[in-house]
Amino acid sequence: KEAIPLLDQSLDMRHKLKDWAGEGAAYNLKALCLKNMGQYQASIELFEKSLHAKRQAGDPKGEASAYNNMGEVYRLMGDYPQ
């Protein structure tokens, strides 16, 4: 829980700087925190934002990571068709 306010600060700064790769990484970390707290739907929404930022940054490895993390959350939710 303590990490989330720090990640929010990072997201704000990275967005202002148009640091899309950094923004994607911060969204990914925040989504992982939420996943670990059992807030699955909120984590999926942030993984989607991470995916968008990684696309803007031209980071296909980052995109793959976001997809992988979303798949893990859907698996935890028992939503296998997703």
Side-chain angles (χ1 to χ4, degrees):
K1 291 182 180 181
E2 294 178 23
I4 291 175
L6 297 172
L7 290 165
D8 286 336
Q9 288 178 9
S10 176
L11 282 165
D12 185 51
M13 292 174 71
R14 291 178 185 280
H15 186 77
K16 288 177 183 173
L17 295 169
K18 298 184 182 186
D19 174 9
W20 308 129
E23 184 175 314
Y27 275 127
N28 191 64
L29 287 172
K30 185 174 178 182
L32 288 170
C33 289
L34 294 176
K35 178 195 80 137
N36 291 335
M37 294 167 55
Q39 296 180 25
Y40 298 137
Q41 192 57 46
S43 73
I44 288 171
E45 292 169 12
L46 291 181
F47 283 132
E48 289 172 349
K49 288 184 177 187
S50 175
L51 178 64
H52 178 73
K54 292 294 186 173
R55 281 186 183 143
Q56 282 186 294
D59 179 4
K61 288 183 182 179
E63 289 180 53
S65 178
Y67 279 125
N68 187 64
N69 289 329
M70 279 190 277
E72 171 64 6
V73 174
Y74 282 120
R75 184 193 67 78
L76 290 170
M77 294 170 55
D79 192 354
Y80 298 107
Q82 283 287 354

